[in-house]
Amino acid sequence: MGDSIMQYNDCTTYPQTGWPQLMPRFFPAGTLFENYARNGRSTKSFIDEGRFDEVLNSASKGDFVLIGFAHNDEKSADPTRYTSPEEGGTFRKNLEFFATELQKKGALPLLLTPVVRRKFDENGKLLSTHGEYPEAIRETAKKLSLPLIDLTKYTAQAVERAGIEKSLSFYMNFQPGIYENYPDGKEDNSHLRPDGAFMVSSIAARELSKLDGAYSPLAKSVILPAFADREALEKEVNDELIYN
């Protein structure tokens, strides 16, 4: 469940890639993924348009549900999408609604903070663009005792480590004449290309592999490079897989 950063893209929008499109690489063949993410949706519009009802109708006991919103909830000028992130605000209420309704079906929700935008200052330091939303998600996960995948934290590290030039390959930011779908090029520092989707899915898979309790079956299904210790494994996923 989410917005355009997670949505499945076909050939008509290539090279734009929702990061969950790369998740099957980290799971056994035959693992079923259902992607309900849609461009431009916030927690509010996802509910108002009946999209969450579709998720609930499909959800079964034991399903794992990844929930990632914020990019469009932030749009304060659009009353059809905006939600407030403060304590008691509609953003948190919507996340709680998602989680509690899914749990009634026996599904197991996980909350995700948003992938960072590629925005650097003049010193090459990545700027924060999501305001209070990541913290609102962290606090909601803690309140509900839900697993949290902090994509904001870890994608910020990856993008800043890549730097201004190399991080271009993660996003829909490229010169004219490279892709038939975008003959004039594009300058988009939010949506992902395949390299960016792989970077994010690598991080997500690593974090999913750490889960326990009711989420252990999901964690045990994750396929990551086999190393003798966790530190070496995380270095491989964070550095070599991301940049090679």
PDB file of all heavy atoms in Angstrom, residues 1 43-44 47 52 67-70 73 83 89-102 109-112 133-141 144 146:
ATOM      1  N   MET A   1       0.851  -1.184   0.000  1.00  0.00           N
ATOM      2  CA  MET A   1       0.000   0.000   0.000  1.00  0.00           C
ATOM      3  C   MET A   1       0.885   1.232   0.000  1.00  0.00           C
ATOM      4  O   MET A   1       1.785   1.346   0.810  1.00  0.00           O
ATOM      5  CB  MET A   1      -0.881   0.029   1.255  1.00  0.00           C
ATOM      6  CG  MET A   1      -1.899  -1.071   1.366  1.00  0.00           C
ATOM      7  SD  MET A   1      -2.672  -1.071   3.001  1.00  0.00           S
ATOM      8  CE  MET A   1      -3.131   0.643   3.208  1.00  0.00           C
ATOM      9  N   THR A  43      -2.724   8.874   2.337  1.00  0.00           N
ATOM     10  CA  THR A  43      -3.542   8.000   3.178  1.00  0.00           C
ATOM     11  C   THR A  43      -5.012   8.370   3.039  1.00  0.00           C
ATOM     12  O   THR A  43      -5.884   7.492   3.024  1.00  0.00           O
ATOM     13  CB  THR A  43      -3.126   8.096   4.659  1.00  0.00           C
ATOM     14  OG1 THR A  43      -3.232   9.448   5.106  1.00  0.00           O
ATOM     15  CG2 THR A  43      -1.702   7.592   4.861  1.00  0.00           C
ATOM     16  N   LYS A  44      -5.298   9.660   2.905  1.00  0.00           N
ATOM     17  CA  LYS A  44      -6.690  10.129   2.804  1.00  0.00           C
ATOM     18  C   LYS A  44      -7.333   9.675   1.499  1.00  0.00           C
ATOM     19  O   LYS A  44      -8.423   9.079   1.492  1.00  0.00           O
ATOM     20  CB  LYS A  44      -6.750  11.646   2.921  1.00  0.00           C
ATOM     21  CG  LYS A  44      -8.165  12.222   2.854  1.00  0.00           C
ATOM     22  CD  LYS A  44      -8.146  13.738   2.961  1.00  0.00           C
ATOM     23  CE  LYS A  44      -9.561  14.294   3.111  1.00  0.00           C
ATOM     24  NZ  LYS A  44     -10.451  13.915   1.998  1.00  0.00           N
ATOM     25  N   ILE A  47      -8.069   5.979   1.127  1.00  0.00           N
ATOM     26  CA  ILE A  47      -9.304   5.570   1.801  1.00  0.00           C
ATOM     27  C   ILE A  47     -10.522   6.060   1.031  1.00  0.00           C
ATOM     28  O   ILE A  47     -11.452   5.295   0.741  1.00  0.00           O
ATOM     29  CB  ILE A  47      -9.340   6.111   3.244  1.00  0.00           C
ATOM     30  CG1 ILE A  47      -8.230   5.472   4.087  1.00  0.00           C
ATOM     31  CG2 ILE A  47     -10.716   5.866   3.881  1.00  0.00           C
ATOM     32  CD1 ILE A  47      -8.023   6.127   5.432  1.00  0.00           C
ATOM     33  N   PHE A  52      -8.411   1.245  -0.080  1.00  0.00           N
ATOM     34  CA  PHE A  52      -8.147   0.436   1.109  1.00  0.00           C
ATOM     35  C   PHE A  52      -9.174  -0.681   1.246  1.00  0.00           C
ATOM     36  O   PHE A  52      -8.856  -1.781   1.715  1.00  0.00           O
ATOM     37  CB  PHE A  52      -8.121   1.299   2.370  1.00  0.00           C
ATOM     38  CG  PHE A  52      -7.765   0.525   3.604  1.00  0.00           C
ATOM     39  CD1 PHE A  52      -6.581  -0.210   3.666  1.00  0.00           C
ATOM     40  CD2 PHE A  52      -8.601   0.500   4.705  1.00  0.00           C
ATOM     41  CE1 PHE A  52      -6.250  -0.952   4.792  1.00  0.00           C
ATOM     42  CE2 PHE A  52      -8.273  -0.221   5.836  1.00  0.00           C
ATOM     43  CZ  PHE A  52      -7.094  -0.952   5.887  1.00  0.00           C
ATOM     44  N   ILE A  67       3.077  -0.740   4.366  1.00  0.00           N
ATOM     45  CA  ILE A  67       2.318   0.503   4.255  1.00  0.00           C
ATOM     46  C   ILE A  67       3.286   1.676   4.198  1.00  0.00           C
ATOM     47  O   ILE A  67       3.993   1.959   5.172  1.00  0.00           O
ATOM     48  CB  ILE A  67       1.358   0.664   5.457  1.00  0.00           C
ATOM     49  CG1 ILE A  67       0.422  -0.548   5.562  1.00  0.00           C
ATOM     50  CG2 ILE A  67       0.571   1.957   5.339  1.00  0.00           C
ATOM     51  CD1 ILE A  67      -0.387  -0.580   6.844  1.00  0.00           C
ATOM     52  N   GLY A  68       3.331   2.364   3.053  1.00  0.00           N
ATOM     53  CA  GLY A  68       4.280   3.463   2.887  1.00  0.00           C
ATOM     54  C   GLY A  68       3.656   4.689   2.247  1.00  0.00           C
ATOM     55  O   GLY A  68       3.442   4.730   1.036  1.00  0.00           O
ATOM     56  N   PHE A  69       3.358   5.693   3.061  1.00  0.00           N
ATOM     57  CA  PHE A  69       2.791   6.952   2.579  1.00  0.00           C
ATOM     58  C   PHE A  69       3.563   8.138   3.163  1.00  0.00           C
ATOM     59  O   PHE A  69       4.298   7.982   4.124  1.00  0.00           O
ATOM     60  CB  PHE A  69       1.320   7.087   2.992  1.00  0.00           C
ATOM     61  CG  PHE A  69       0.378   6.149   2.298  1.00  0.00           C
ATOM     62  CD1 PHE A  69       0.089   4.904   2.851  1.00  0.00           C
ATOM     63  CD2 PHE A  69      -0.228   6.501   1.097  1.00  0.00           C
ATOM     64  CE1 PHE A  69      -0.785   4.031   2.233  1.00  0.00           C
ATOM     65  CE2 PHE A  69      -1.113   5.630   0.456  1.00  0.00           C
ATOM     66  CZ  PHE A  69      -1.392   4.393   1.034  1.00  0.00           C
ATOM     67  N   ALA A  70       3.357   9.305   2.588  1.00  0.00           N
ATOM     68  CA  ALA A  70       3.821  10.600   3.101  1.00  0.00           C
ATOM     69  C   ALA A  70       3.970  11.616   1.980  1.00  0.00           C
ATOM     70  O   ALA A  70       3.586  12.773   2.140  1.00  0.00           O
ATOM     71  CB  ALA A  70       5.124  10.509   3.889  1.00  0.00           C
ATOM     72  N   ASP A  73       0.603  13.037   1.248  1.00  0.00           N
ATOM     73  CA  ASP A  73      -0.013  13.565   2.470  1.00  0.00           C
ATOM     74  C   ASP A  73       0.549  14.941   2.808  1.00  0.00           C
ATOM     75  O   ASP A  73      -0.094  15.737   3.486  1.00  0.00           O
ATOM     76  CB  ASP A  73       0.240  12.612   3.637  1.00  0.00           C
ATOM     77  CG  ASP A  73      -0.562  11.331   3.528  1.00  0.00           C
ATOM     78  OD1 ASP A  73      -0.129  10.414   2.805  1.00  0.00           O
ATOM     79  OD2 ASP A  73      -1.629  11.245   4.159  1.00  0.00           O
ATOM     80  N   THR A  83      -2.959  15.454   4.780  1.00  0.00           N
ATOM     81  CA  THR A  83      -3.264  15.018   6.141  1.00  0.00           C
ATOM     82  C   THR A  83      -2.221  15.623   7.073  1.00  0.00           C
ATOM     83  O   THR A  83      -1.054  15.794   6.696  1.00  0.00           O
ATOM     84  CB  THR A  83      -3.235  13.485   6.291  1.00  0.00           C
ATOM     85  OG1 THR A  83      -1.913  13.007   6.021  1.00  0.00           O
ATOM     86  CG2 THR A  83      -4.233  12.822   5.360  1.00  0.00           C
ATOM     87  N   GLY A  89      -3.299  14.046  14.654  1.00  0.00           N
ATOM     88  CA  GLY A  89      -3.627  14.482  13.302  1.00  0.00           C
ATOM     89  C   GLY A  89      -4.135  13.355  12.429  1.00  0.00           C
ATOM     90  O   GLY A  89      -4.037  12.163  12.773  1.00  0.00           O
ATOM     91  N   THR A  90      -4.662  13.741  11.267  1.00  0.00           N
ATOM     92  CA  THR A  90      -5.305  12.753  10.389  1.00  0.00           C
ATOM     93  C   THR A  90      -4.320  11.749   9.801  1.00  0.00           C
ATOM     94  O   THR A  90      -4.706  10.615   9.502  1.00  0.00           O
ATOM     95  CB  THR A  90      -6.052  13.465   9.249  1.00  0.00           C
ATOM     96  OG1 THR A  90      -5.177  14.431   8.640  1.00  0.00           O
ATOM     97  CG2 THR A  90      -7.293  14.164   9.775  1.00  0.00           C
ATOM     98  N   PHE A  91      -3.067  12.142   9.607  1.00  0.00           N
ATOM     99  CA  PHE A  91      -2.083  11.209   9.055  1.00  0.00           C
ATOM    100  C   PHE A  91      -1.905  10.018   9.991  1.00  0.00           C
ATOM    101  O   PHE A  91      -1.997   8.853   9.580  1.00  0.00           O
ATOM    102  CB  PHE A  91      -0.750  11.916   8.828  1.00  0.00           C
ATOM    103  CG  PHE A  91       0.317  11.047   8.213  1.00  0.00           C
ATOM    104  CD1 PHE A  91       0.144  10.499   6.956  1.00  0.00           C
ATOM    105  CD2 PHE A  91       1.496  10.781   8.899  1.00  0.00           C
ATOM    106  CE1 PHE A  91       1.134   9.698   6.377  1.00  0.00           C
ATOM    107  CE2 PHE A  91       2.484   9.985   8.337  1.00  0.00           C
ATOM    108  CZ  PHE A  91       2.303   9.443   7.081  1.00  0.00           C
ATOM    109  N   ARG A  92      -1.689  10.306  11.257  1.00  0.00           N
ATOM    110  CA  ARG A  92      -1.516   9.222  12.229  1.00  0.00           C
ATOM    111  C   ARG A  92      -2.800   8.410  12.387  1.00  0.00           C
ATOM    112  O   ARG A  92      -2.756   7.175  12.512  1.00  0.00           O
ATOM    113  CB  ARG A  92      -1.086   9.792  13.584  1.00  0.00           C
ATOM    114  CG  ARG A  92       0.244  10.533  13.551  1.00  0.00           C
ATOM    115  CD  ARG A  92       0.618  10.993  14.936  1.00  0.00           C
ATOM    116  NE  ARG A  92       1.721  11.941  14.915  1.00  0.00           N
ATOM    117  CZ  ARG A  92       2.739  11.924  15.759  1.00  0.00           C
ATOM    118  NH1 ARG A  92       2.803  10.999  16.710  1.00  0.00           N
ATOM    119  NH2 ARG A  92       3.693  12.837  15.697  1.00  0.00           N
ATOM    120  N   LYS A  93      -3.927   9.095  12.399  1.00  0.00           N
ATOM    121  CA  LYS A  93      -5.205   8.386  12.529  1.00  0.00           C
ATOM    122  C   LYS A  93      -5.429   7.425  11.371  1.00  0.00           C
ATOM    123  O   LYS A  93      -5.917   6.303  11.557  1.00  0.00           O
ATOM    124  CB  LYS A  93      -6.356   9.378  12.621  1.00  0.00           C
ATOM    125  CG  LYS A  93      -6.407  10.138  13.944  1.00  0.00           C
ATOM    126  CD  LYS A  93      -7.572  11.119  13.976  1.00  0.00           C
ATOM    127  CE  LYS A  93      -7.640  11.856  15.311  1.00  0.00           C
ATOM    128  NZ  LYS A  93      -8.734  12.859  15.333  1.00  0.00           N
ATOM    129  N   ASN A  94      -5.061   7.856  10.170  1.00  0.00           N
ATOM    130  CA  ASN A  94      -5.231   6.984   9.001  1.00  0.00           C
ATOM    131  C   ASN A  94      -4.316   5.765   9.069  1.00  0.00           C
ATOM    132  O   ASN A  94      -4.721   4.649   8.733  1.00  0.00           O
ATOM    133  CB  ASN A  94      -4.978   7.761   7.716  1.00  0.00           C
ATOM    134  CG  ASN A  94      -6.071   8.760   7.406  1.00  0.00           C
ATOM    135  OD1 ASN A  94      -7.164   8.709   7.964  1.00  0.00           O
ATOM    136  ND2 ASN A  94      -5.789   9.696   6.511  1.00  0.00           N
ATOM    137  N   LEU A  95      -3.076   5.978   9.501  1.00  0.00           N
ATOM    138  CA  LEU A  95      -2.160   4.846   9.650  1.00  0.00           C
ATOM    139  C   LEU A  95      -2.691   3.857  10.687  1.00  0.00           C
ATOM    140  O   LEU A  95      -2.626   2.633  10.488  1.00  0.00           O
ATOM    141  CB  LEU A  95      -0.768   5.339  10.064  1.00  0.00           C
ATOM    142  CG  LEU A  95       0.009   6.160   9.033  1.00  0.00           C
ATOM    143  CD1 LEU A  95       1.328   6.633   9.636  1.00  0.00           C
ATOM    144  CD2 LEU A  95       0.270   5.376   7.760  1.00  0.00           C
ATOM    145  N   GLU A  96      -3.212   4.377  11.782  1.00  0.00           N
ATOM    146  CA  GLU A  96      -3.793   3.504  12.812  1.00  0.00           C
ATOM    147  C   GLU A  96      -4.997   2.750  12.267  1.00  0.00           C
ATOM    148  O   GLU A  96      -5.189   1.560  12.560  1.00  0.00           O
ATOM    149  CB  GLU A  96      -4.195   4.326  14.035  1.00  0.00           C
ATOM    150  CG  GLU A  96      -3.008   4.864  14.829  1.00  0.00           C
ATOM    151  CD  GLU A  96      -3.427   5.500  16.141  1.00  0.00           C
ATOM    152  OE1 GLU A  96      -4.424   5.036  16.737  1.00  0.00           O
ATOM    153  OE2 GLU A  96      -2.765   6.459  16.573  1.00  0.00           O
ATOM    154  N   PHE A  97      -5.814   3.426  11.482  1.00  0.00           N
ATOM    155  CA  PHE A  97      -6.981   2.790  10.870  1.00  0.00           C
ATOM    156  C   PHE A  97      -6.550   1.648   9.965  1.00  0.00           C
ATOM    157  O   PHE A  97      -7.107   0.537  10.035  1.00  0.00           O
ATOM    158  CB  PHE A  97      -7.778   3.833  10.102  1.00  0.00           C
ATOM    159  CG  PHE A  97      -8.919   3.285   9.298  1.00  0.00           C
ATOM    160  CD1 PHE A  97     -10.034   2.732   9.930  1.00  0.00           C
ATOM    161  CD2 PHE A  97      -8.900   3.315   7.913  1.00  0.00           C
ATOM    162  CE1 PHE A  97     -11.102   2.216   9.187  1.00  0.00           C
ATOM    163  CE2 PHE A  97      -9.945   2.815   7.169  1.00  0.00           C
ATOM    164  CZ  PHE A  97     -11.058   2.262   7.809  1.00  0.00           C
ATOM    165  N   PHE A  98      -5.553   1.905   9.105  1.00  0.00           N
ATOM    166  CA  PHE A  98      -5.041   0.842   8.234  1.00  0.00           C
ATOM    167  C   PHE A  98      -4.631  -0.375   9.064  1.00  0.00           C
ATOM    168  O   PHE A  98      -5.021  -1.507   8.775  1.00  0.00           O
ATOM    169  CB  PHE A  98      -3.821   1.329   7.452  1.00  0.00           C
ATOM    170  CG  PHE A  98      -4.101   2.349   6.387  1.00  0.00           C
ATOM    171  CD1 PHE A  98      -3.123   3.260   6.014  1.00  0.00           C
ATOM    172  CD2 PHE A  98      -5.327   2.396   5.733  1.00  0.00           C
ATOM    173  CE1 PHE A  98      -3.360   4.195   5.024  1.00  0.00           C
ATOM    174  CE2 PHE A  98      -5.566   3.324   4.744  1.00  0.00           C
ATOM    175  CZ  PHE A  98      -4.584   4.231   4.386  1.00  0.00           C
ATOM    176  N   ALA A  99      -3.806  -0.116  10.080  1.00  0.00           N
ATOM    177  CA  ALA A  99      -3.229  -1.209  10.856  1.00  0.00           C
ATOM    178  C   ALA A  99      -4.295  -2.005  11.602  1.00  0.00           C
ATOM    179  O   ALA A  99      -4.306  -3.253  11.558  1.00  0.00           O
ATOM    180  CB  ALA A  99      -2.192  -0.661  11.840  1.00  0.00           C
ATOM    181  N   THR A 100      -5.191  -1.317  12.267  1.00  0.00           N
ATOM    182  CA  THR A 100      -6.187  -2.024  13.085  1.00  0.00           C
ATOM    183  C   THR A 100      -7.169  -2.815  12.222  1.00  0.00           C
ATOM    184  O   THR A 100      -7.554  -3.937  12.579  1.00  0.00           O
ATOM    185  CB  THR A 100      -6.942  -1.044  13.991  1.00  0.00           C
ATOM    186  OG1 THR A 100      -7.522   0.001  13.209  1.00  0.00           O
ATOM    187  CG2 THR A 100      -6.007  -0.425  15.018  1.00  0.00           C
ATOM    188  N   GLU A 101      -7.568  -2.250  11.080  1.00  0.00           N
ATOM    189  CA  GLU A 101      -8.494  -2.967  10.206  1.00  0.00           C
ATOM    190  C   GLU A 101      -7.829  -4.194   9.585  1.00  0.00           C
ATOM    191  O   GLU A 101      -8.459  -5.250   9.438  1.00  0.00           O
ATOM    192  CB  GLU A 101      -9.027  -2.035   9.117  1.00  0.00           C
ATOM    193  CG  GLU A 101      -9.927  -0.931   9.627  1.00  0.00           C
ATOM    194  CD  GLU A 101     -11.151  -1.473  10.354  1.00  0.00           C
ATOM    195  OE1 GLU A 101     -11.862  -2.318   9.779  1.00  0.00           O
ATOM    196  OE2 GLU A 101     -11.377  -1.057  11.510  1.00  0.00           O
ATOM    197  N   LEU A 102      -6.571  -4.085   9.230  1.00  0.00           N
ATOM    198  CA  LEU A 102      -5.854  -5.235   8.685  1.00  0.00           C
ATOM    199  C   LEU A 102      -5.686  -6.325   9.734  1.00  0.00           C
ATOM    200  O   LEU A 102      -5.823  -7.518   9.434  1.00  0.00           O
ATOM    201  CB  LEU A 102      -4.482  -4.791   8.152  1.00  0.00           C
ATOM    202  CG  LEU A 102      -4.511  -4.018   6.837  1.00  0.00           C
ATOM    203  CD1 LEU A 102      -3.192  -3.304   6.610  1.00  0.00           C
ATOM    204  CD2 LEU A 102      -4.823  -4.947   5.668  1.00  0.00           C
ATOM    205  N   PRO A 109       0.458  -5.901   9.520  1.00  0.00           N
ATOM    206  CA  PRO A 109       0.943  -4.675   8.880  1.00  0.00           C
ATOM    207  C   PRO A 109       2.343  -4.291   9.338  1.00  0.00           C
ATOM    208  O   PRO A 109       2.755  -4.580  10.469  1.00  0.00           O
ATOM    209  CB  PRO A 109      -0.081  -3.632   9.334  1.00  0.00           C
ATOM    210  CG  PRO A 109      -0.598  -4.149  10.635  1.00  0.00           C
ATOM    211  CD  PRO A 109      -0.553  -5.643  10.549  1.00  0.00           C
ATOM    212  N   LEU A 110       3.076  -3.631   8.445  1.00  0.00           N
ATOM    213  CA  LEU A 110       4.371  -3.027   8.742  1.00  0.00           C
ATOM    214  C   LEU A 110       4.337  -1.596   8.229  1.00  0.00           C
ATOM    215  O   LEU A 110       3.829  -1.339   7.128  1.00  0.00           O
ATOM    216  CB  LEU A 110       5.516  -3.762   8.043  1.00  0.00           C
ATOM    217  CG  LEU A 110       5.696  -5.260   8.252  1.00  0.00           C
ATOM    218  CD1 LEU A 110       4.912  -6.053   7.227  1.00  0.00           C
ATOM    219  CD2 LEU A 110       7.176  -5.621   8.149  1.00  0.00           C
ATOM    220  N   LEU A 111       4.886  -0.666   8.996  1.00  0.00           N
ATOM    221  CA  LEU A 111       4.920   0.724   8.567  1.00  0.00           C
ATOM    222  C   LEU A 111       6.296   1.079   8.008  1.00  0.00           C
ATOM    223  O   LEU A 111       7.326   0.622   8.510  1.00  0.00           O
ATOM    224  CB  LEU A 111       4.582   1.656   9.734  1.00  0.00           C
ATOM    225  CG  LEU A 111       3.185   1.517  10.345  1.00  0.00           C
ATOM    226  CD1 LEU A 111       2.963   2.589  11.407  1.00  0.00           C
ATOM    227  CD2 LEU A 111       2.104   1.585   9.281  1.00  0.00           C
ATOM    228  N   LEU A 112       6.286   1.906   6.974  1.00  0.00           N
ATOM    229  CA  LEU A 112       7.510   2.347   6.302  1.00  0.00           C
ATOM    230  C   LEU A 112       7.593   3.864   6.319  1.00  0.00           C
ATOM    231  O   LEU A 112       6.615   4.536   5.976  1.00  0.00           O
ATOM    232  CB  LEU A 112       7.525   1.885   4.845  1.00  0.00           C
ATOM    233  CG  LEU A 112       7.079   0.469   4.522  1.00  0.00           C
ATOM    234  CD1 LEU A 112       6.973   0.293   3.013  1.00  0.00           C
ATOM    235  CD2 LEU A 112       8.045  -0.530   5.099  1.00  0.00           C
ATOM    236  N   TYR A 133       6.619  14.030   8.973  1.00  0.00           N
ATOM    237  CA  TYR A 133       5.963  12.768   8.623  1.00  0.00           C
ATOM    238  C   TYR A 133       6.755  11.521   9.020  1.00  0.00           C
ATOM    239  O   TYR A 133       6.173  10.568   9.567  1.00  0.00           O
ATOM    240  CB  TYR A 133       5.600  12.756   7.137  1.00  0.00           C
ATOM    241  CG  TYR A 133       4.482  13.723   6.823  1.00  0.00           C
ATOM    242  CD1 TYR A 133       4.739  15.063   6.578  1.00  0.00           C
ATOM    243  CD2 TYR A 133       3.151  13.296   6.810  1.00  0.00           C
ATOM    244  CE1 TYR A 133       3.708  15.964   6.320  1.00  0.00           C
ATOM    245  CE2 TYR A 133       2.121  14.181   6.549  1.00  0.00           C
ATOM    246  CZ  TYR A 133       2.406  15.519   6.306  1.00  0.00           C
ATOM    247  OH  TYR A 133       1.382  16.412   6.068  1.00  0.00           O
ATOM    248  N   PRO A 134       8.059  11.460   8.764  1.00  0.00           N
ATOM    249  CA  PRO A 134       8.774  10.253   9.195  1.00  0.00           C
ATOM    250  C   PRO A 134       8.660   9.989  10.698  1.00  0.00           C
ATOM    251  O   PRO A 134       8.447   8.845  11.116  1.00  0.00           O
ATOM    252  CB  PRO A 134      10.227  10.539   8.783  1.00  0.00           C
ATOM    253  CG  PRO A 134      10.097  11.465   7.624  1.00  0.00           C
ATOM    254  CD  PRO A 134       8.934  12.353   7.972  1.00  0.00           C
ATOM    255  N   GLU A 135       8.771  11.046  11.487  1.00  0.00           N
ATOM    256  CA  GLU A 135       8.676  10.859  12.929  1.00  0.00           C
ATOM    257  C   GLU A 135       7.260  10.448  13.330  1.00  0.00           C
ATOM    258  O   GLU A 135       7.076   9.644  14.265  1.00  0.00           O
ATOM    259  CB  GLU A 135       9.091  12.129  13.668  1.00  0.00           C
ATOM    260  CG  GLU A 135       9.241  11.956  15.170  1.00  0.00           C
ATOM    261  CD  GLU A 135      10.286  10.906  15.555  1.00  0.00           C
ATOM    262  OE1 GLU A 135      11.235  10.665  14.779  1.00  0.00           O
ATOM    263  OE2 GLU A 135      10.134  10.328  16.655  1.00  0.00           O
ATOM    264  N   ALA A 136       6.266  10.976  12.635  1.00  0.00           N
ATOM    265  CA  ALA A 136       4.884  10.574  12.915  1.00  0.00           C
ATOM    266  C   ALA A 136       4.703   9.075  12.669  1.00  0.00           C
ATOM    267  O   ALA A 136       4.000   8.388  13.433  1.00  0.00           O
ATOM    268  CB  ALA A 136       3.917  11.367  12.044  1.00  0.00           C
ATOM    269  N   ILE A 137       5.338   8.553  11.623  1.00  0.00           N
ATOM    270  CA  ILE A 137       5.253   7.123  11.321  1.00  0.00           C
ATOM    271  C   ILE A 137       5.988   6.316  12.387  1.00  0.00           C
ATOM    272  O   ILE A 137       5.493   5.288  12.865  1.00  0.00           O
ATOM    273  CB  ILE A 137       5.813   6.834   9.917  1.00  0.00           C
ATOM    274  CG1 ILE A 137       4.999   7.577   8.858  1.00  0.00           C
ATOM    275  CG2 ILE A 137       5.822   5.331   9.640  1.00  0.00           C
ATOM    276  CD1 ILE A 137       5.648   7.608   7.490  1.00  0.00           C
ATOM    277  N   ARG A 138       7.178   6.784  12.777  1.00  0.00           N
ATOM    278  CA  ARG A 138       7.938   6.074  13.815  1.00  0.00           C
ATOM    279  C   ARG A 138       7.142   5.995  15.117  1.00  0.00           C
ATOM    280  O   ARG A 138       7.082   4.945  15.770  1.00  0.00           O
ATOM    281  CB  ARG A 138       9.269   6.785  14.059  1.00  0.00           C
ATOM    282  CG  ARG A 138      10.223   6.771  12.867  1.00  0.00           C
ATOM    283  CD  ARG A 138      11.517   7.506  13.174  1.00  0.00           C
ATOM    284  NE  ARG A 138      12.342   7.671  11.982  1.00  0.00           N
ATOM    285  CZ  ARG A 138      12.620   8.838  11.414  1.00  0.00           C
ATOM    286  NH1 ARG A 138      12.143   9.963  11.948  1.00  0.00           N
ATOM    287  NH2 ARG A 138      13.357   8.892  10.326  1.00  0.00           N
ATOM    288  N   GLU A 139       6.535   7.110  15.496  1.00  0.00           N
ATOM    289  CA  GLU A 139       5.794   7.148  16.753  1.00  0.00           C
ATOM    290  C   GLU A 139       4.519   6.306  16.678  1.00  0.00           C
ATOM    291  O   GLU A 139       4.126   5.672  17.669  1.00  0.00           O
ATOM    292  CB  GLU A 139       5.474   8.595  17.126  1.00  0.00           C
ATOM    293  CG  GLU A 139       6.711   9.388  17.511  1.00  0.00           C
ATOM    294  CD  GLU A 139       6.411  10.842  17.846  1.00  0.00           C
ATOM    295  OE1 GLU A 139       5.218  11.240  17.808  1.00  0.00           O
ATOM    296  OE2 GLU A 139       7.369  11.587  18.143  1.00  0.00           O
ATOM    297  N   THR A 140       3.891   6.274  15.510  1.00  0.00           N
ATOM    298  CA  THR A 140       2.696   5.439  15.347  1.00  0.00           C
ATOM    299  C   THR A 140       3.060   3.961  15.434  1.00  0.00           C
ATOM    300  O   THR A 140       2.351   3.170  16.067  1.00  0.00           O
ATOM    301  CB  THR A 140       2.013   5.740  14.002  1.00  0.00           C
ATOM    302  OG1 THR A 140       1.640   7.123  13.963  1.00  0.00           O
ATOM    303  CG2 THR A 140       0.768   4.884  13.815  1.00  0.00           C
ATOM    304  N   ALA A 141       4.169   3.581  14.809  1.00  0.00           N
ATOM    305  CA  ALA A 141       4.618   2.190  14.893  1.00  0.00           C
ATOM    306  C   ALA A 141       4.897   1.801  16.338  1.00  0.00           C
ATOM    307  O   ALA A 141       4.512   0.706  16.789  1.00  0.00           O
ATOM    308  CB  ALA A 141       5.865   1.989  14.040  1.00  0.00           C
ATOM    309  N   LEU A 144       1.591   1.400  18.337  1.00  0.00           N
ATOM    310  CA  LEU A 144       0.832   0.206  17.990  1.00  0.00           C
ATOM    311  C   LEU A 144       1.647  -1.076  18.102  1.00  0.00           C
ATOM    312  O   LEU A 144       1.136  -2.151  17.793  1.00  0.00           O
ATOM    313  CB  LEU A 144       0.301   0.340  16.561  1.00  0.00           C
ATOM    314  CG  LEU A 144      -0.616   1.533  16.280  1.00  0.00           C
ATOM    315  CD1 LEU A 144      -1.022   1.545  14.813  1.00  0.00           C
ATOM    316  CD2 LEU A 144      -1.839   1.517  17.184  1.00  0.00           C
ATOM    317  N   LEU A 146       4.102  -2.032  16.208  1.00  0.00           N
ATOM    318  CA  LEU A 146       4.245  -2.577  14.861  1.00  0.00           C
ATOM    319  C   LEU A 146       5.691  -2.486  14.398  1.00  0.00           C
ATOM    320  O   LEU A 146       6.428  -1.567  14.795  1.00  0.00           O
ATOM    321  CB  LEU A 146       3.376  -1.795  13.875  1.00  0.00           C
ATOM    322  CG  LEU A 146       1.871  -1.929  14.005  1.00  0.00           C
ATOM    323  CD1 LEU A 146       1.190  -1.020  12.991  1.00  0.00           C
ATOM    324  CD2 LEU A 146       1.423  -3.372  13.816  1.00  0.00           C
TER     325      LEU A 146
END
